[in-house]
């Protein structure tokens, strides 16, 4: 049994790790920091590529995937559905040349299903977090209404069974799922910093927070234990 100040914490941490477990922790921490440093060096190339990817995915949705949905809603005079689809498009659309097309036949329900997809500029200009939040809110709202068309009065009034097909809902939900990670991807530097921050091994270590001892010697902290393990030359060659 360990005696003295911090003995309970020592039992839980300092004397709880075998040498092979310390080795594993050191290797994992080294890999995290090494990979983080390497990705940081590539940030200048990766960040624009991520922004370009997000821009392409959002524009493909609002300029092409939504087009037959807008055409169907306009043709069948579904004003509520059409308004939501138009708002969804308008929230992030980046028209080629910076101006909307002179004609949008789908708004009159006339665009043919076989028409070629719209072309749009490939730019490293991703939507803002606020724009993504608006998009995701409108998408989940429409999908929920479509799924609940046999539910309450509100659902039946705003959206009928055939206003959005199952394929339409599937496409929208797919974007909703994939776009969940877009804010983290676009904040490349912040996400990388958060993922490689290992300060919780000392400042927010679990057993320290539940220890009844208000102050503990630094020699009992996990970082000190691992550094001491390295400096004493007790690491196994590998």
């Amino acid at each position: 049994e360990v005696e003295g100040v911090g003995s309970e914490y020592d039992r839980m941490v300092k004397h709880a790790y075998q040498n092979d477990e310390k080795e594993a922790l050191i290797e994992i921490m080294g890999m995290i920091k090494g990979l983080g440093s390497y990705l940081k060096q590539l940030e200048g190339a990766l960040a624009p590529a991520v922004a370009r990817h997000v821009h392409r995915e959002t524009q493909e949705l609002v300029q092409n995937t939504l087009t037959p949905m807008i055409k169907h809603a306009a043709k069948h005079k579904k004003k509520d559905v059409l308004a939501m689809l138009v708002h969804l498009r308008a929230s992030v659309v980046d028209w080629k040349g910076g101006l909307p097309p002179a004609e949008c036949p789908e708004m009159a329900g006339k665009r043919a299903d076989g028409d070629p997809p719209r072309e749009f500029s490939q730019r490293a200009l991703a939507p803002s977090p606020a724009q993504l939040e608006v998009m995701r809110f409108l998408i989940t709202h429409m999908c929920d209404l479509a799924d609940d068309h046999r539910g309450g009065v509100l659902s039946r009034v705003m959206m009928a069974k055939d206003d959005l097909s199952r394929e339409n809902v599937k496409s929208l939900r797919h974007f909703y799922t994939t776009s969940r990670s877009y804010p983290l991807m676009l904040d490349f530097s912040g996400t990388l910093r958060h993922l490689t921050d290992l300060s919780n091994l000392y400042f927010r270590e679990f057993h320290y927070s539940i220890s009844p001892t208000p102050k503990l010697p630094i020699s009992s902290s996990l970082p000190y234990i691992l550094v001491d393990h390295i400096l004493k030359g007790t690491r196994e060659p590998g």
Side-chain angles (χ1 to χ4, degrees), residues 131-143 176:
Q131 288 175 305
L132 285 171
E133 191 65 25
V134 170
M135 283 189 74
R136 286 169 53 78
F137 169 78
L138 289 171
I139 287 172
T140 190
H141 181 59
M142 287 190 294
C143 290
Y176 181 83

Side-chain angles (χ1 to χ4, degrees), residues 58-59 61-63 66 70 82-95 100 107 127 130-132 134-135 138 142:
T58 53
Q59 296 310 308
L61 176 79
V62 299
Q63 296 200 41
L66 292 188
I70 291 174
L82 179 61
M84 286 187 284
L85 291 169
V86 170
H87 283 314
L88 176 56
R89 171 185 277 182
S91 64
V92 294
V93 70
D94 182 18
W95 297 114
M107 294 298 295
Q131 288 175 305
L132 285 171
V134 170
M135 283 189 74
L138 289 171
M142 287 190 294

Side-chain angles (χ1 to χ4, degrees), residues 142-207:
M142 287 190 294
C143 290
D144 287 345
L145 288 176
D147 289 341
D148 298 338
H149 66 271
R150 291 189 179 89
V153 175
L154 180 63
S155 296
R156 291 199 297 270
V157 170
M158 294 189 68
M159 187 170 291
K161 179 179 180 180
D162 58 348
D163 287 347
L164 286 179
S165 68
R166 290 186 177 182
E167 285 301 314
N168 294 155
V169 173
K170 183 178 179 180
S171 298
L172 292 173
R173 287 207 183 276
H174 175 72
F175 180 86
Y176 181 83
T177 301
T178 56
S179 65
R180 182 180 302 159
S181 61
Y182 286 173
L184 296 175
M185 293 167 56
L186 294 170
D187 184 16
F188 187 90
S189 181
T191 300
L192 186 61
R193 183 171 58 253
H194 174 73
L195 293 176
T196 58
D197 180 10
L198 303 179
S199 63
N200 62 323
L201 292 177
Y202 182 73
F203 295 111
R204 296 183 295 277
E205 207 277 326
F206 171 73
H207 292 298

Side-chain angles (χ1 to χ4, degrees), residues 19 23 27 229 233-238:
N19 283 344
E23 290 289 329
E27 291 295 333
H229 178 71
T234 52
R235 295 192 65 188
E236 298 176 0

